[in-house]
Amino acid sequence: MSSPDPQVRAARNQSTNPGVRGPVVAVTGAAAGIGALLTERLAASDEIKQVIAIDERRGECAAAQWHILDVRDPAIADKLSGADVVVHLALDLDLETDGAARTAYNVRGTQTVLTAAAAAGVHRVVLCTSAMVYGALDDNELPLSEDAELRATAEATGVGDLLEIERLARRAPRAHPGLNVTVVRPAVLVGGGTDTALTRYFESPRLLVVAGSRPAWQFCHVEDLCSALEYAVLEKVEGELAVGCDGWLEQEEVEELSGIRRMELPSAVALGAAARLHRIGLTPSPAGDLAYTMYPWVVSGSRLHDAGWRPQWTNEEVLAELLEEVSGRHTVAGRRLGRKDATAAGAAGATVALLGAAAVVRRARKARRRI
């Protein structure tokens, strides 16, 4: 079914139209990625009165009212005036971004948005982190409930930022009475050009399997994430929400469906070499990312299910789309071939599995000694 014409949507979503019911929704990070997809979805919805789009550049959604600014700018409070709900999606989880700069943007941006939303009289803020905050541990239940303890550490890419955002979410209602904060935690995101250490895992000619580990793969298509975010916007569900496909895939099923063979390494070799590769700059993905390919962190999504939400994608379908997206990409010696200076992560240890940990580290050490 095609979406309404942009001019029709723009006219329908004007806040001055008394015939349109529903909330006025502001979306940060609205120009690209999940933010752009959600902005289009909300602008096309008969249940949304108006969409305010905020980013550092203008996006393509003509039906939204655009404001161009950095989310860390306190002036954002003025732009949120009249909004009922804010969905904060302006996060930097790029593998190539300097870690300190990434944290400064993510944490400061979230703090500013929460404070500005409260000052503007917004009654609900929806944040998006990741199911990675539960941690990938050998003793995790399958699946985890939303109320499970957040046992992740800051050792994986961006997870430290997400944990801090979770802490801000818990503190905000106490600091700003009347402000409701909902947190959405997706499983492994796929679609819409999503590029993470976990999606790059499938770019390697061999899938690294750490001996003695028990991986369990659960995916979340970006379309399902957007529909879950819309549920939160419309107040059909609140609190901490986990979202993903129903069930999970064992490593053997992933290998059979993908047609990619495994390479198995002892834990000490894989983790030790991954740490060395990161330390000497051959890969931006720290060894902590490897845990998310070793142990389960599958979520139940029970709160969304209880509210009537269902995923439209299966794990098998999302994996198939992921494999299509990464087709033709290859990671060798920590770098993605065909893209200048694009360092490939492949969940850190995938590079180790490809070339052999000892050989890579020995060559790097020799190169440093010659300098």
Side-chain angles (χ1 to χ4, degrees):
M1 182 180 297
S2 60
S3 298
D5 181 87
Q7 292 183 343
V8 174
R9 284 182 281 152
R12 189 188 63 206
N13 283 317
Q14 290 301 312
S15 60
T16 55
N17 186 346
V20 178
R21 298 180 179 180
V24 175
V25 184
V27 180
T28 69
I34 303 297
L37 294 172
L38 181 65
T39 298
E40 288 283 0
R41 182 185 183 97
L42 296 179
S45 172
D46 292 327
E47 297 182 85
I48 302 299
K49 187 174 185 179
Q50 183 188 21
V51 179
I52 300 170
I54 298 173
D55 210 319
E56 293 178 55
R57 64 178 178 85
R58 186 182 180 88
E60 297 180 0
C61 183
Q65 176 185 336
W66 284 90
H67 295 293
I68 313 304
L69 81 165
D70 189 312
V71 292
R72 294 169 293 182
D73 187 339
I76 194 173
D78 293 334
K79 312 306 180 186
L80 297 180
S81 178
D84 301 298
V85 183
V86 175
V87 184
H88 178 49
L89 298 174
L91 295 178
D92 181 2
L93 298 177
D94 193 321
L95 292 168
E96 318 301 335
T97 302
D98 173 75
R102 181 174 58 219
T103 296
Y105 179 81
N106 291 336
V107 175
R108 180 60 179 166
T110 302
Q111 287 175 325
T112 303
V113 167
L114 287 168
T115 302
V122 173
H123 75 266
R124 176 181 292 253
V125 174
V126 181
L127 303 176
C128 186
T129 61
S130 168
M132 294 176 77
V133 296
Y134 290 109
L137 299 122
D138 187 40
D139 62 349
N140 274 348
E141 293 184 359
L142 276 169
L144 292 161
S145 72
E146 277 95 346
D147 291 328
E149 181 184 355
L150 305 188
R151 298 197 290 163
T153 65
E155 295 175 355
T157 304
V159 173
D161 295 358
L162 299 180
L163 289 170
E164 182 57 32
I165 290 171
E166 294 270 353
R167 285 190 282 270
L168 291 172
R170 289 194 296 272
R171 290 200 296 263
R174 297 195 296 271
H176 308 290
L179 182 65
N180 178 295
V181 180
T182 295
V183 180
V184 181
R185 301 166 179 159
V188 180
L189 268 179
V190 175
T194 303
D195 179 23
T196 66
L198 293 166
T199 60
R200 290 189 183 188
Y201 176 79
F202 293 91
E203 296 180 16
S204 297
R206 293 285 187 272
L207 298 179
L208 174 66
V209 176
V210 176
S213 65
R214 57 179 191 111
W217 290 90
Q218 180 188 37
F219 300 99
C220 178
H221 196 277
V222 291
E223 292 178 357
D224 281 338
L225 174 58
C226 285
S227 70
L229 289 168
E230 185 177 17
Y231 256 64
V233 164
L234 295 173
E235 301 186 18
K236 297 179 180 180
V237 64
E238 62 181 22
E240 289 82 28
L241 312 173
V243 55
C245 299
D246 290 335
W248 62 89
L249 298 173
E250 303 288 350
Q251 182 71 23
E252 292 76 14
E253 294 176 285
V254 167
E255 292 168 19
E256 181 179 356
L257 290 167
S258 67
I260 307 175
R261 296 170 57 190
R262 72 165 61 190
M263 178 176 285
E264 191 165 309
L265 290 177
S267 176
V269 173
L271 291 170
R276 293 187 194 100
L277 287 172
H278 179 62
R279 189 165 57 249
I280 63 179
L282 280 183
T283 170
S285 188
D289 284 351
L290 198 55
Y292 290 89
T293 72
M294 295 171 60
Y295 302 119
W297 47 292
V298 173
V299 291
S300 68
S302 58
R303 286 185 181 146
L304 277 164
H305 282 231
D306 290 345
W309 180 90
R310 293 292 183 274
Q312 299 302 303
W313 291 73
T314 67
N315 282 303
E316 291 84 354
E317 290 168 341
V318 180
L319 176 58
E321 174 155 325
L322 171 57
L323 293 171
E324 184 176 347
E325 282 194 1
V326 304
S327 177
R329 300 177 190 168
H330 302 287
T331 59
V332 176
R335 293 186 179 275
R336 182 181 284 161
L337 295 179
R339 183 181 297 180
K340 184 178 180 181
D341 296 329
T343 307
T351 302
V352 183
L354 177 59
L355 294 182
V360 174
V361 175
R362 277 200 302 270
R363 282 199 293 270
R365 285 175 174 170
K366 289 179 181 178
R368 287 197 297 172
R369 282 198 295 267
R370 288 197 296 268
I371 295 176

